[in-house]
Amino acid sequence: MIPMERASAHERRMLKILRALNAQDRATLMAFGEFLLAGGAALRAAGGECASVETPPSTPQHEPRPPDESVVAAIKRLRRVYPMLDPSEMLHETSALMAAHVLQGRDAGAVIDELERLFLARYETQGSRSAEEPDPSTNQDAQPL
């Protein structure tokens, strides 16, 4: 007999919730779980777990949009295209769009279009913000303490 790992309290609670839901709500929960999993690396880094730090490319790494792409797949693709953006800063907006699709039945194509505009706008805002910020090491007006 293969020894089985005992489920944690969180896992048992999740399973209880999943079993209590109807089929549509289960699908919604699974889609949201996949969405959260897609942002897991950023959330773990924000939570303090150790992660290797690499400097992301400064320009988008464009990938073509596949036909019939899901919203979750689009978020993953856009995070690869814009690795210089901090996903935790966009979590509220991306989760609101994901919820509009999953919970309110908004068309996936329209949500993906909006996600693409959101990521592009954040990229452009980040570029203009970093161009405006002076390099503190070159501040000639700094007074010694």
Side-chain angles (χ1 to χ4, degrees):
M1 186 168 168
I2 299 173
M4 301 218 21
E5 185 178 322
R6 185 168 166 87
S8 71
H10 285 70
E11 291 168 324
R12 289 190 306 272
R13 175 76 176 130
M14 254 336 257
L15 188 56
K16 185 177 181 180
I17 291 169
L18 184 66
R19 287 179 178 160
L21 297 173
N22 65 34
Q24 182 180 357
D25 290 340
R26 279 189 202 131
T28 300
L29 179 61
M30 293 302 293
F32 193 65
E34 289 176 3
F35 165 73
L36 291 175
L37 185 61
L43 295 175
R44 283 190 297 277
E49 284 189 25
C50 201
S52 64
V53 178
E54 289 184 21
T55 304
S58 59
T59 58
Q61 307 298 306
H62 289 288
E63 293 180 24
R65 179 175 170 178
D68 300 325
E69 182 178 40
S70 72
V71 174
V72 172
I75 292 169
K76 290 179 181 180
R77 175 179 55 84
L78 290 167
R79 287 191 177 152
R80 288 190 307 269
V81 169
Y82 297 97
M84 70 292 296
L85 299 178
D86 182 358
S88 65
E89 291 180 6
M90 300 174 61
L91 184 61
H92 177 71
E93 294 157 302
T94 54
S95 63
L97 288 167
M98 180 70 179
H101 169 64
V102 173
L103 301 175
Q104 300 167 359
R106 190 164 168 210
D107 177 61
V111 170
I112 294 170
D113 290 342
E114 196 163 336
L115 282 165
E116 288 180 339
R117 287 191 295 273
L118 169 67
F119 275 76
L120 178 61
R122 281 295 179 107
Y123 170 72
E124 290 172 345
T125 300
Q126 178 178 314
S128 65
R129 187 175 50 215
S130 63
E132 294 171 3
E133 294 173 358
D135 183 356
S137 65
T138 61
N139 187 355
Q140 302 298 322
D141 300 328
Q143 297 293 324
L145 295 176

